[in-house]
Amino acid sequence: WKMLVLTLTLLFIPLKAENPACRLHAKPDVPQHSKNGDIIIGGIFSFHITPLKTKNLRHIVNIKEFLFAQTMIFATEEINNNPDLLPNVSLGYKIYDDCRSMSLAIRRAMSLLNGQEESNSSFSSNSCEKPSSVNAIIGLSDSSATKGHTVSISYYATCACLSDKKEFPTFFRTIPSDYYQSKALAQIVKYFGWTWIGAIRTDRDYGNIGMATFLDIVQQEGVCVEYSEAIVRATPREKILKIVDVIKRSTSKVVVVFASYVDLEFLIQELLTQKVFGLQWVGSEGWISNEYLAIPENYKVLGGAIGCVINNDIIPGLQEFFQNISPSDIPDDSNYNQTARAATGLKDLRQLNIQYADVPELRITSNVYKAMYAIAHSLHKIYECQEGQGPFENKTCANKTKIEPWQLIQYMKNVNFTTKYGEKVYFDENGDPIARYDLVNWQLSKEDQNKDFITLFYLKLNTVIKILPSFTLRFPQFTSKVLKSVCSESCHPGTRKAIQKGKPVCCFDCLPCAEGEINSVDCIKCNLEYKANEKRDKCILKETEFLSFGEIMGILLVIFSLLGTCMTIAVALVFFLYRDTPIVRANNSELSFLLLLSLALCFLCSLTFIGQPSDWSCMLRHTAFGITFVMCISCVLGKTIVVLMAFRATLPGNNIMKWFGPAQQRLSVFSLSFIQILICALWLIVSPPFPNRNMKHYKDRIILECDLGSVAVFYAVLGYIGLLSSMCFLLSFLARKLPDNFNEAKYITFSMLIFCAVWVTFIPAYISSPGKYTVAVEIFAILASSFGLLFCIFFPKCHIILLKPENNTKKHLMGKMVS
């Protein structure tokens, strides 16, 4: 409105009060097309444009815009001939040419708003204001020019800024906002997997706002922009050359252009000159279907381009109307019309063989058509209004003889009708229509080598894009293969992205994932019970590990355990058969049989360490081990004490054996074993061993093991065994040189030496051995110490019993050792 007031001040200068009249400052503007009627509708179109290459001509005809104006005339005649729409009311029109000039467009808009008649009676003494001569204006085609005035229905202005109802409360349009086009272009980029693009825009509202919206959307989808350049029609060649150099040096293969064709032409020419070919162009409707760009020469640069165009609607009867247009219908302007006709060289528009359904730019005709009908339906509602049922204050209706623009706007907001070709027309709260687009692909016709726009598929927002099977996409270099445009290739399985310093997120290096991690955008650590597969693209369950009966090591340990048990039973059988011989009776046969029983249990308890741990096996293996070994050491300790006491009893007057007879020996074994039983009972009550899934020791497998529960009690069990073993070793060491042919103490000493050596080396081996080998070490220690006791204590006696029976006499056993 500020621009309107300024223009109004410049165009209209009132005279002095003594001659109250309003006179025009300049020559009146004459409409190119006009028709009287009860209601006048204004139209502003760009019939002529300033040529870009031809210096000797001031203007050339813009056939496209001329046909848009003819569509307005066609719609007006159709409405006037429709008895059901605005009956007894005729529509007229005033159509102006703005020559694609913003200043001229505003001037022509003022002409439509205020009229140009000179009058002395219609104004106040100091004002040139008068009622508007038109009720609505259809136009303009340019977004920036449209911002010059707001009371209009645009068929071509797409700037998203125009949806702001605070700034443009009376603006409507029949073409979708660029916001939806930006979303559609973003869908295209995402659909083809392009993540590394360049961006070029018109340095005006259309390009700046449209590209900003597009970039916001695609960057949220992970798309990166290598460069973003702005151009305008008057861009200096130095700037054009700089942009071309940026494109040539870039690594992105996709260029998204949100621009009008007049701004893009010089850039395309320079790219053609420097032979910058093979890029994938993605374009907005401002240029993607423009007939001036779509020529075989430009195909070398733009071949395979993809973009959005307005959805195609075929208006019945419009093609025939176009074909009846003659050159005399072209607006007559004394300044340039004859020159324009010479430039176009047209004798008859029928020579164009206009097939507007096949010409993408003529899709806009339906927007002009719908704009005219939207006005007509709004006016129809005004004329239908009954007093007391109106939309205004006190339910009043508009004055049908003097309809104010703001009253028409109120009805426009609620307009809702269906065209005769089946499209539903209405405006949302921002004055925008429903958004519908077709997608086009630049393909070169094989027959005549002329441009050929082929509609590939219907693109509906918020849905998945699907290529129709009846169409074949063509990409640059005449191929059907989609160009790949990425800053960095996707990381292979087992690697992760590491963003390159100072570059967008699409530029990255691929670093191997750590063990136990799989890759996505970043390496993701698998859950503790899972590990990465060989490709490191999926987490799989870890293998479980425990010492099983089926593996070789488990089988060998079972064999040795059963062998030890059998050998112990065999020794017990020999001792039982020769129980009355001196060598068996020499050192308390009861302790010998109790020791053999304990050794058999020691061999058998090692079996509880093999197999998958369970609650009962974990509690049994450690407690059984602790108790049976204490029984063994208690028996050996008892035998050692008996040896010492026996030699002491041979001294005159020494009656010590009565204090350590068989009953006392049994009591000592029971007492010492009972202490271990109490320790194990306390262990089971306070914190018993339990099966555990150890996932910390190895990253690639799970160790099934028995957790000790209370480590302190476990070491108390071992410590008690160690204490008894040390006592036994010390006593047997003291008795090793007692004079006797069969001094059992020296064999006990050697057996305890083996026992202590095994268990001293067991502790570091137990701590350092991983997984199932920990269990194997513990079983080995049990078997080794058990075999040591069995061999050292009982095999010498069995040797005498079975192989040297002559030595199995009391006389021989009591004989003095030869020193």
Side-chain angles (χ1 to χ4, degrees), residues 636-647:
V636 174
L637 182 60
K639 293 175 73 66
T640 305
I641 295 174
V642 168
V643 171
L644 287 173
M645 296 300 179
F647 281 100

Side-chain angles (χ1 to χ4, degrees), residues 316-478:
L318 183 59
Q319 181 174 346
E320 292 77 9
F321 182 82
F322 284 165
Q323 290 175 340
N324 290 325
I325 298 173
S326 65
S328 61
D329 294 316
I330 298 177
D332 198 2
D333 190 305
S334 59
N335 291 331
Y336 54 78
N337 187 59
Q338 297 300 324
T339 304
R341 291 190 189 180
T344 59
L346 298 178
K347 294 182 179 180
D348 192 336
L349 279 177
R350 289 194 185 93
Q351 295 176 0
L352 289 176
N353 190 22
I354 297 173
Q355 300 289 331
Y356 80 98
D358 297 329
V359 180
E361 293 251 351
L362 293 184
R363 295 164 181 258
I364 304 299
T365 56
S366 64
N367 293 341
V368 179
Y369 184 83
K370 288 182 288 187
M372 195 66 194
Y373 264 87
I375 296 171
H377 279 276
S378 299
L379 292 170
H380 185 79
K381 290 292 183 181
I382 290 176
Y383 279 92
E384 277 188 339
C385 181
Q386 301 293 326
E387 287 297 331
Q389 300 178 0
F392 307 116
E393 187 177 0
N394 299 323
K395 296 185 177 181
T396 58
C397 297
N399 184 352
K400 298 177 180 60
T401 60
K402 185 184 177 183
I403 301 173
E404 297 292 339
W406 64 268
Q407 294 172 324
L408 177 61
I409 292 299
Q410 183 64 35
Y411 281 92
M412 288 284 294
K413 292 178 180 179
N414 301 313
V415 72
N416 194 323
F417 65 95
T418 303
T419 64
K420 63 181 180 180
Y421 51 84
E423 182 180 357
K424 198 170 186 63
V425 179
Y426 61 89
F427 301 105
D428 63 14
E429 65 275 8
N430 297 320
D432 295 329
I434 188 171
R436 295 192 304 156
Y437 294 100
D438 283 346
L439 210 67
V440 294
N441 179 213
W442 278 41
Q443 297 191 20
L444 199 61
S445 174
K446 296 180 180 179
E447 289 79 14
D448 56 9
Q449 294 299 302
N450 292 322
K451 57 75 167 89
D452 185 12
F453 294 106
I454 300 178
T455 299
L456 293 178
F457 50 85
Y458 181 72
L459 175 63
K460 198 170 185 180
L461 293 175
N462 301 321
T463 59
V464 178
I465 299 176
K466 293 183 179 179
I467 306 292
L468 298 181
S470 56
F471 296 107
T472 301
L473 280 170
R474 286 288 179 265
F475 297 98
Q477 307 300 323
F478 304 94

